[in-house]
Amino acid sequence: MINELMQDDWDLEKIPRQQDELKIKLLRAQSVVAECKAGLAELERRLERRALTSLIDERQRNSAANNSIRNARPPKSRSVDDPVDQDAAVAFSSRSWDR
C-alpha cells in the first residue's frame, strides 16, 4: 500500500493527500498498539490476581492440614492396670502353641 502511495511521489498535488493518508494509517496503528498494550496489562493483572489467589488457597489448605495434625489426639496409651481383653488373649494361649 505504501509502495502504491509512493509511486506518484512526483505529483505535487497528491503529496498532501498521501501525507494525510499515511498520518491516518499511523494513528490507526498507534491506536491498535495502545489497545494491545492495555489488553496485555489487564491480562497480566488478572494472572497476578489468580496466582495470588492460588497461593492464598494453598497456604490455607496447608494451614488447615497442619492444624488438623496438631489437633489430632494422640493414640491412647495403655496402662499396666487396664483390663485385658480375654478374647484377645485366647489367640496366645499355651494351647494354641501345642497344636
Side-chain angles (χ1 to χ4, degrees), residues 63-75:
S63 176
N66 288 339
N67 286 339
S68 66
I69 290 170
R70 269 189 233 115
N71 294 336
R73 293 183 179 174

Side-chain angles (χ1 to χ4, degrees), residues 12-98:
L12 295 178
E13 292 176 7
K14 292 185 179 181
I15 290 176
R17 182 180 56 83
Q18 290 174 348
Q19 285 178 329
D20 290 342
E21 289 176 4
L22 288 172
K23 286 178 185 177
I24 290 170
K25 289 178 187 266
L26 178 61
L27 290 173
R28 286 181 183 154
Q30 289 172 337
S31 174
V32 168
V33 168
E35 286 180 37
C36 290
K37 285 182 178 181
L40 181 59
E42 174 62 23
L43 180 61
E44 287 174 345
R45 283 190 296 274
R46 288 172 41 201
L47 288 172
E48 286 175 5
R49 274 182 278 173
R50 185 174 292 168
L52 285 175
T53 301
S54 294
L55 181 62
I56 290 169
D57 289 346
E58 182 179 346
R59 285 185 178 175
Q60 287 175 344
R61 281 192 304 272
N62 289 343
S63 176
N66 288 339
N67 286 339
S68 66
I69 290 170
R70 269 189 233 115
N71 294 336
R73 293 183 179 174
K76 184 178 176 184
S77 61
R78 296 188 54 92
S79 169
V80 178
D81 297 329
D82 287 347
V84 176
D85 183 3
Q86 295 299 320
D87 293 332
V90 171
F92 297 104
S93 71
S94 62
R95 287 181 287 159
S96 64
W97 291 103
D98 294 338

